[in-house]
Amino acid sequence: MEHASVPAFWYDGQTARRHEGTVEWSGGNDLRLRGHDGSLINVPLADLVFVERGVMDGSYSRKADDGFRLAFTGTVPDALAARLPGGQKFGKWIDGLGLPKAAVLFAGISAALLAIVLTAPTWLGPRVPPSWERKIGDAMLGDMGNRLCHTPESDAALKKLVERLDPDRPITRVGIANIDMVNAVALPGGQVLVFDGLIQESENPDELAGVIGHEIGHVRERHVMQALLRQFGLSVLLGGINSDIGSGIFGVAAMSYSRDAEREADTFSASQLERSNISPKGTADFFEYLKEESGGEGQEWAGWIASHPMPKEREEMFRKAVVKGHAYTPALNKQEYTAIRDACTNDPDVEEFDIF
Amino acid sequence: MDDYSANAGSVDRWSPPAEEQSAFGFHGTWREFAPIAFTNLLLIVVTLGIYRFWAKARERQYLWSRTRFIDERLEWTGTGKELFVGGLLVLALFLIPYFIATQVGQAMILRGEKVIGAILFVVPLVAIFYLMGVARFRAIRYRLGRTNWRGIRGGSDVRGFKYGWSYMWKTIAGYAAFGLGVPWSMVSLWNERWRAMSFGPMEFRCSADFSPLMKRYMLFYLSPFIAIVGIVAIIAAMAFGLQRDGGFDPENPSIGFFAAFIVASLLFYFVLGFVWLAYYAKFFRVVVGHMELGGLEFEFDAKTWDWIKLGLGDVALLVLTLGLGFVFLGYRHWKFFVTHMQAYGEINVDDLTQSTTRRDKHGEGLLDAFDMGAI
């Protein structure tokens, strides 16, 4: 039978007094701590846990009392050492696998997660039923209160234009936002907003048709849903749920689609114009105008242009789509176009749109 | 290095030695710490940050074990798991409700329900304010509860909810009088939170007074005005000088003019930072200098220049390693803290019995979420 007597010191966890003495072991399941001061403590081996005291030595605590500390100052015989518990280095799972294997495993899992979260918008976005998207959007945005400009005439004109552009659309609604900026956005839930500033800069209803067609394209191609998913996924993944996600809608409103998405939306717009017999020339003229204006610095639409393909390229796309000699119908008649232009001035109870 | 092997076990009372040896000592080396830091970094990266709770526990285990108080090392008994649980609690109890409240608030504002929307925005902000105080309190409590010295730990009998209210009203009161009450609120809050803490059976006492801080605070308070006047004068002089040379056109200033302006602005914030450190160094010396525990008195001897060196060192470390050096920041700060900490008086090891304070099973989740330091 093994027998060992090893010099050691210990703290009993009751007072800060340090006890020195020997640890006696007779091969059984208990250690006897015999202090030079005559104290005697019995400690079951099964009750010990290893704690790191430093790189040079380890010490042992008790499951029952985490103030207890035992540190050997002499050599522990192998037979006893084999019965003593081991410690953790990186944590239970990682120690079990070994650091390199664990690191590779975790990296693999993380990469897979990243891949899912980064690609999910592309394959998941189009599979979300439009009715859900509408509900999500409504929950986020509501009906915008009185911030949209309405007159009976402008509502009718806008409705006619949207009906012509995309009669089959499942969820899209188009409104005029009382904001003096040259911009238009597609928001969650199929809510397309044309800013009054853009309407005032336009010269004819065909220009408006091209821009609205473009934004409807974002909704129809599910870009909005994809952007929502992307933003949500990234904020969860990056643990940034506490930082910027609070600005969710504003983020979505300002979100930039990829240039590919912009091209898709332009293509959609062009094909809808053709389908509804509206001339793409107005849209081409609008981009030409943007191109010239963007030469100067500090224009208010500079931001809009940054995330979009170059106006020149877009102008050419729409310009090429014009069929010479074809008899196009204007998108709206003069009265209807005027009604839209005057919607914000003539709406008696419209409010300032101050969230942007 | 085995300084604990001194015959401390046979003495009843232990008086800290004469001035040449401080009661606190740090004998870690960055070479010894590097394997811990780099494996932590690796695991943090491959787990997308989740390992940081365990990394923190490993780091503290090392730092504490290399810290000597009188004749025995400190020991960190906290675990990564409990920090992780703390983090999950914050996520469930705080971040998710906060996220929902702000989203609903936005939706309400967009629907024209401005009052409800504003309430949904403001209430979470007030809650954050309150919880920041609670979190700071609980982080100290947690760290004391997980710090062992000779098998004895610290803690607090209260849970910090009342301190959260003190934190709110004292902070507001401090800023209310044009910010002139800030030193008072900082010192008063320090006293309040440390008086609630204990180690073993002994309670911390702290009765610092804010008035010695006012001189340096006024320096910080007034320096922006002095600096703005100075900068305006310099720019005016330069503009004037250039004009006399015939080269300055106010409608079309030269690049040099802008450069001078930018350098002046940067210098302004830099100098302001230093002035704040001068105040903060004094603050720390004053509050720690008034702390007592049983028969021990504490002192903190870092001067303004020491703090500046610490800050510049941190910046250099981060810049030179493109940010990866952050794994060494904890080491640097702990070393700074320990090497400048002093204690005088005596301690009776038989009177230092085990703490009876309650310990929570989770770590400093809130504090971690707000990314604040404990002390």
Side-chain angles (χ1 to χ4, degrees):
Chain A
M1 182 56 90
E2 286 282 346
H3 183 86
S5 177
V6 188
F9 68 90
W10 58 90
Y11 297 104
D12 60 13
Q14 303 306 308
T15 75
R17 171 166 287 279
R18 175 182 169 124
H19 301 271
E20 301 212 29
T22 51
V23 173
E24 294 168 2
W25 181 59
S26 48
N29 293 325
D30 294 306
L31 294 180
R32 286 160 76 82
L33 276 52
R34 193 181 296 281
H36 295 324
D37 52 8
S39 62
L40 185 68
I41 309 179
N42 216 34
V43 183
L45 274 169
D47 193 27
L48 289 180
V49 279
F50 181 86
V51 287
E52 184 85 25
R53 258 178 73 90
V55 176
M56 301 287 286
D57 49 17
S59 70
Y60 298 89
S61 179
R62 295 179 66 165
K63 286 171 194 157
D65 176 8
D66 77 352
F68 175 88
R69 285 294 175 280
L70 166 66
F72 294 101
T73 48
T75 315
V76 179
D78 292 343
L80 174 57
R83 298 284 304 273
L84 291 168
Q88 286 183 19
K89 200 171 176 198
F90 299 103
K92 210 187 280 174
W93 296 356
I94 301 175
D95 289 344
L97 283 167
L99 179 64
K101 265 191 196 161
V104 170
L105 180 70
F106 285 136
I109 294 172
S110 299
L113 269 177
L114 266 175
I116 290 172
V117 171
L118 290 180
T119 60
T122 325
W123 51 262
L124 191 62
R127 284 175 175 76
V128 176
S131 60
W132 291 19
E133 184 180 343
R134 170 86 180 234
K135 278 184 189 135
I136 296 170
D138 284 356
M140 286 174 75
L141 297 163
D143 59 2
M144 299 277 175
N146 279 336
R147 291 180 182 79
L148 302 187
C149 306
H150 290 288
T151 61
E153 297 79 26
S154 75
D155 286 352
L158 206 54
K159 185 159 184 274
K160 183 184 154 193
L161 178 59
V162 178
E163 281 296 330
R164 260 191 87 181
L165 274 172
D166 187 12
D168 305 328
R169 68 194 186 287
I171 55 172
T172 314
R173 296 149 289 169
V174 181
I176 303 168
N178 190 20
I179 307 174
D180 187 26
M181 280 167 64
V182 182
N183 207 347
V185 292
L187 294 177
Q191 178 76 64
V192 170
L193 296 184
V194 186
F195 293 9
D196 189 45
L198 185 141
I199 295 175
Q200 301 310 321
E201 289 291 331
S202 70
E203 284 176 356
N204 59 56
D206 293 356
E207 291 181 20
L208 284 186
V211 170
I212 292 173
H214 173 90
E215 299 302 337
I216 294 177
H218 278 313
V219 182
R220 288 283 253 161
E221 304 284 352
R222 310 310 298 270
H223 298 155
V224 182
M225 197 63 222
Q226 288 172 359
L228 257 184
L229 289 171
R230 186 169 295 122
Q231 206 198 15
F232 183 69
L234 279 181
S235 54
V236 170
L237 196 71
L238 299 177
I241 213 167
N242 54 341
S243 55
D244 272 347
I245 202 166
S247 57
I249 313 167
F250 307 112
V252 172
M255 69 197 165
S256 52
Y257 302 111
S258 68
R259 293 202 164 192
D260 284 343
E262 295 299 342
R263 276 192 200 96
E264 271 180 47
D266 275 345
T267 311
F268 178 88
S269 178
S271 73
Q272 294 305 107
L273 290 178
E274 188 188 346
R275 217 178 136 274
S276 42
N277 200 30
I278 298 171
S279 169
K281 182 174 174 297
T283 316
D285 290 346
F286 181 68
F287 284 123
E288 188 182 359
Y289 167 76
L290 280 187
K291 181 181 72 183
E292 281 158 15
E293 290 294 334
S294 66
E297 271 173 58
Q299 297 297 337
E300 48 205 321
W301 47 82
W304 192 67
I305 291 166
S307 60
H308 288 64
M310 291 308 288
K312 180 169 178 285
E313 182 191 328
R314 310 180 69 184
E315 181 206 339
E316 282 164 5
M317 205 274 274
F318 282 94
R319 189 80 69 201
K320 273 184 203 148
V322 180
V323 181
K324 292 256 165 69
H326 182 80
Y328 288 108
T329 339
L332 294 169
N333 65 33
K334 194 140 181 50
Q335 282 145 342
E336 288 160 341
Y337 178 58
T338 313
I340 288 179
R341 283 192 72 101
D342 295 345
C344 287
T345 345
N346 291 349
D347 185 343
D349 57 353
V350 72
E351 287 171 21
E352 276 299 302
F353 210 123
D354 49 8
I355 61 155
F356 284 96
Chain B
M1 68 172 287
D2 292 331
D3 25 41
Y4 57 84
S5 61
N7 56 352
S10 59
V11 294
D12 280 341
R13 285 168 162 264
W14 203 92
S15 297
E19 286 77 48
E20 69 265 20
Q21 209 202 354
S22 166
F24 287 94
F26 182 73
H27 44 84
T29 63
W30 70 267
R31 279 193 188 80
E32 210 174 44
F33 182 64
I36 296 173
F38 290 129
T39 48
N40 276 347
L41 179 64
L42 169 73
L43 287 165
I44 287 173
V45 169
V46 298
T47 59
L48 302 174
I50 294 172
Y51 189 74
R52 69 193 160 93
F53 302 104
W54 285 267
K56 194 172 267 181
R58 283 183 71 212
E59 176 182 311
R60 287 198 189 142
Q61 218 168 52
Y62 173 78
L63 295 176
W64 264 239
S65 77
R66 288 295 175 273
T67 303
R68 171 187 57 78
F69 178 60
I70 305 181
D71 63 338
E72 182 58 288
R73 305 166 188 184
L74 299 184
E75 193 187 301
W76 178 257
T77 60
T79 63
K81 192 163 136 192
E82 68 196 9
L83 285 177
F84 178 63
V85 172
L88 287 183
L89 276 178
V90 167
L91 187 71
L93 295 178
F94 183 70
L95 291 179
I96 291 174
Y98 175 76
F99 171 67
I100 292 172
T102 48
Q103 290 295 312
V104 173
Q106 276 178 349
M108 290 315 242
I109 287 178
L110 285 167
R111 281 173 170 76
E113 301 274 2
K114 285 197 174 152
V115 178
I116 298 174
I119 289 171
L120 284 170
F121 265 108
V122 170
V123 168
L125 287 179
V126 174
I128 290 182
F129 191 21
Y130 170 75
L131 287 169
M132 268 164 69
V134 178
R136 176 157 286 194
F137 184 94
R138 291 179 79 114
I140 300 178
R141 186 176 93 134
Y142 171 72
R143 290 184 198 189
L144 280 171
R146 296 296 185 270
T147 298
N148 270 19
W149 182 73
R150 288 172 157 255
I152 305 300
R153 64 177 174 84
S156 174
D157 281 319
V158 292
R159 309 185 68 186
F161 294 119
K162 208 176 125 220
Y163 178 82
W165 295 113
S166 295
Y167 175 79
M168 275 174 89
W169 82 257
K170 284 182 180 173
T171 306
I172 293 170
Y175 282 102
F178 301 105
L180 287 171
V182 169
W184 163 79
S185 79
M186 284 172 74
V187 170
S188 161
L189 286 169
W190 176 286
N191 287 341
E192 187 176 338
R193 59 179 180 260
W194 277 98
R195 276 179 199 158
M197 302 293 161
S198 58
F199 199 87
M202 303 184 297
E203 288 180 354
F204 280 94
R205 296 185 300 279
C206 191
S207 52
D209 174 33
F210 71 94
S211 43
L213 298 173
M214 283 316 278
K215 224 161 70 189
R216 292 205 185 190
Y217 186 72
M218 290 314 291
L219 187 70
F220 171 74
Y221 192 80
L222 295 175
S223 56
F225 302 106
I226 301 169
I228 286 171
V229 170
I231 288 170
V232 168
I234 290 167
I235 289 174
M238 280 178 55
F240 185 63
L242 285 166
Q243 216 161 20
R244 278 182 45 170
D245 295 341
F248 189 76
D249 171 11
E251 290 291 307
N252 189 16
S254 66
I255 290 176
F257 176 78
F258 280 118
F261 189 78
I262 289 165
V263 168
S265 322
L266 284 177
L267 212 62
F268 174 66
Y269 284 108
F270 218 59
V271 170
L272 201 63
F274 286 162
V275 179
W276 173 257
L277 277 182
Y279 163 74
Y280 197 72
K282 177 90 179 178
F283 166 77
F284 225 79
R285 288 203 299 273
V286 167
V287 289
V288 176
H290 283 85
M291 286 180 59
E292 293 173 32
L293 178 71
L296 290 172
E297 291 176 12
F298 296 93
E299 203 179 284
F300 196 74
D301 63 10
K303 302 260 184 234
T304 305
W305 178 236
D306 298 315
W307 286 90
I308 292 177
K309 278 191 293 188
L310 179 74
L312 292 180
D314 282 358
V315 171
L317 179 67
L318 288 178
V319 169
L320 293 176
T321 59
L322 304 174
L324 291 181
F326 82 89
V327 287
F328 278 102
L329 289 184
Y331 175 90
R332 279 177 56 79
H333 296 169
W334 180 256
K335 186 180 172 186
F336 175 81
F337 174 70
V338 170
T339 49
H340 287 293
M341 196 76 188
Q342 312 286 348
Y344 305 96
E346 56 181 31
I347 191 164
N348 184 330
V349 292
D350 285 325
D351 289 346
L352 187 56
T353 51
Q354 190 56 283
S355 174
T356 54
T357 53
R358 168 204 153 102
R359 283 188 291 189
D360 285 327
K361 291 273 176 244
H362 54 84
E364 50 202 24
L366 271 177
L367 200 83
D368 198 57
F370 292 132
D371 200 21
M372 289 156 57
I375 299 161

